[in-house]
């Protein structure tokens, strides 16, 4: 009888342990589900918050661009172009907008703002030089209407072989070989107009140029493509 009793008690103990284990398993399962639910909710809340922050930042940049250009419709179109360009650029939207505003302060024509900004950004990405340095030099030439020695030095220090490029440009226009020495003389005589500098940047960033689509190439490199 004792043996039977012990057997019965043992089976009861096993059933009790199994029951407790099942209960604990249920608790753990429900806990995991709740954790997953809380994690999903947290992720969703964070995602919504990020969307709001990005949207707010977009609106701030759009309004800021409009205040500089003083043309709401033109600003909206330009901002949309900047958003599209930022997808294939190492620069962020707010950076590209800031560069555009800086160029506008140097009285670059509104219809040329976006293209000019993109050209300088391509050169900046290609050389790894601070975009603000290029904008400063370019803007000063635009404001003075001619290339001066100080801007030439700024461009040269940034890595742009401007003297050689100008020599090629003058040789092409005149049909005769123009030396770098003659280019220095032309600069001293204030005979290199801003329009020629603008043409050189256009040449450098157009198909076949040194910095053609350099932002896109840099962006692909950063993404590991």
């Amino acid at each position: 009888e004792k043996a039977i009793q012990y057997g019965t008690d043992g089976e009861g103990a096993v059933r009790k342990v199994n029951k407790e284990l099942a209960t604990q398993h249920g608790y753990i399962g429900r806990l995991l589900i709740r954790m997953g639910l809380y994690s999903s909710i947290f992720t969703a809340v964070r995602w919504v918050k990020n969307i709001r922050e990005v949207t707010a930042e977009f609106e701030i940049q759009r309004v800021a661009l409009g205040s500089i250009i003083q043309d709401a419709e033109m600003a909206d179109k330009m901002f949309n172009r900047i958003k599209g360009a930022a997808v294939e650029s190492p620069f962020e939207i707010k950076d590209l907008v800031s560069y555009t505003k800086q160029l506008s302060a140097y009285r670059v024509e509104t219809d040329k703002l976006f293209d000019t900004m993109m050209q300088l950004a391509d050169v900046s990405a290609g050389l790894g030089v601070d975009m603000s340095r290029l904008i400063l030099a370019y803007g000063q030439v635009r404001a003075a209407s001619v290339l001066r020695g100080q801007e030439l030095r700024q461009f040269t220090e940034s890595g742009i072989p401007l003297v050689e490029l100008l020599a090629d440009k003058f040789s092409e226009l005149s049909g005769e070989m123009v030396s770098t020495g003659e280019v220095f003389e032309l600069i001293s005589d204030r005979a290199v107009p801003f329009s020629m500098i603008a043409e050189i940047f256009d040449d450098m960033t157009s198909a076949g140029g040194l910095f053609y689509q350099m932002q896109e190439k840099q962006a692909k490199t950063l993404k590991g493509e």
Side-chain angles (χ1 to χ4, degrees):
E1 291 181 359
K2 286 186 178 182
I4 296 174
Q5 181 65 38
Y6 288 148
T8 302
D9 291 343
E11 291 176 1
V14 170
R15 284 197 298 269
K16 183 177 181 181
V17 170
N18 288 339
K19 183 177 180 181
E20 290 176 353
L21 288 175
T23 301
Q24 290 179 10
H25 185 272
Y27 286 151
I28 293 173
R30 288 193 293 273
L31 179 60
L32 290 175
I33 292 173
R34 288 177 182 175
M35 289 176 64
L37 178 60
Y38 292 151
S39 176
S40 298
I41 293 173
F42 176 76
T43 301
V45 170
R46 186 172 56 183
W47 180 76
V48 171
K49 182 180 179 181
N50 289 341
I51 290 295
R52 288 177 177 173
E53 290 176 351
V54 170
T55 302
E57 180 64 27
F58 279 10
E59 183 62 16
I60 290 172
Q61 295 300 331
R62 186 190 65 78
V63 171
L65 188 61
S67 66
I68 291 293
I69 296 177
Q70 293 295 306
D71 185 327
E73 184 177 355
M74 177 69 75
D76 286 343
K77 291 180 180 179
M78 192 176 300
F79 184 69
N80 287 332
R81 293 184 71 185
I82 290 173
K83 283 198 299 183
V87 175
E88 297 181 336
S89 171
F91 301 109
E92 297 182 3
I93 291 175
K94 63 180 180 180
D95 295 324
L96 297 180
V97 170
S98 177
Y99 301 150
T100 303
K101 291 189 294 183
Q102 290 177 47
L103 285 169
S104 178
Y106 283 109
R107 298 293 185 268
V108 173
E109 296 88 336
T110 301
D111 61 341
K112 297 179 180 179
L113 265 179
F114 177 79
D115 290 336
T116 300
M117 181 275 294
M118 290 295 288
Q119 289 174 353
L120 294 182
D122 277 333
V123 175
S124 174
L127 293 174
V129 66
D130 187 355
M131 178 72 164
S132 296
R133 292 179 59 185
L134 294 181
I135 292 175
L136 175 62
Y138 190 94
Q140 287 176 335
V141 178
R142 173 68 181 80
S145 298
V146 295
L147 176 67
R148 301 170 298 183
Q150 62 187 47
E151 287 84 41
L152 172 62
R153 183 170 58 255
Q154 290 171 343
F155 282 129
T156 302
E157 290 176 351
S158 296
I160 300 174
L162 192 56
V163 174
E164 290 79 3
L165 293 172
L166 282 169
D168 293 340
K169 177 65 69 174
F170 277 115
S171 297
E172 179 185 341
L173 293 173
S174 66
E176 298 179 358
M177 184 67 179
V178 175
S179 67
T180 56
E182 291 173 308
V183 170
F184 279 113
E185 291 181 4
L186 290 168
I187 294 173
S188 297
D189 295 337
R190 304 291 179 90
V192 180
F194 167 74
S195 60
M196 185 168 287
I197 301 303
E199 286 180 17
I200 285 178
F201 271 88
D202 186 57
D203 292 341
M204 289 192 297
T205 55
S206 296
L210 292 172
F211 306 105
Y212 178 60
Q213 293 184 340
M214 191 56 67
Q215 290 181 84
E216 182 178 343
K217 294 173 183 176
Q218 286 288 331
K220 288 181 178 179
T221 299
L222 291 172
K223 294 175 182 177
E225 296 181 10

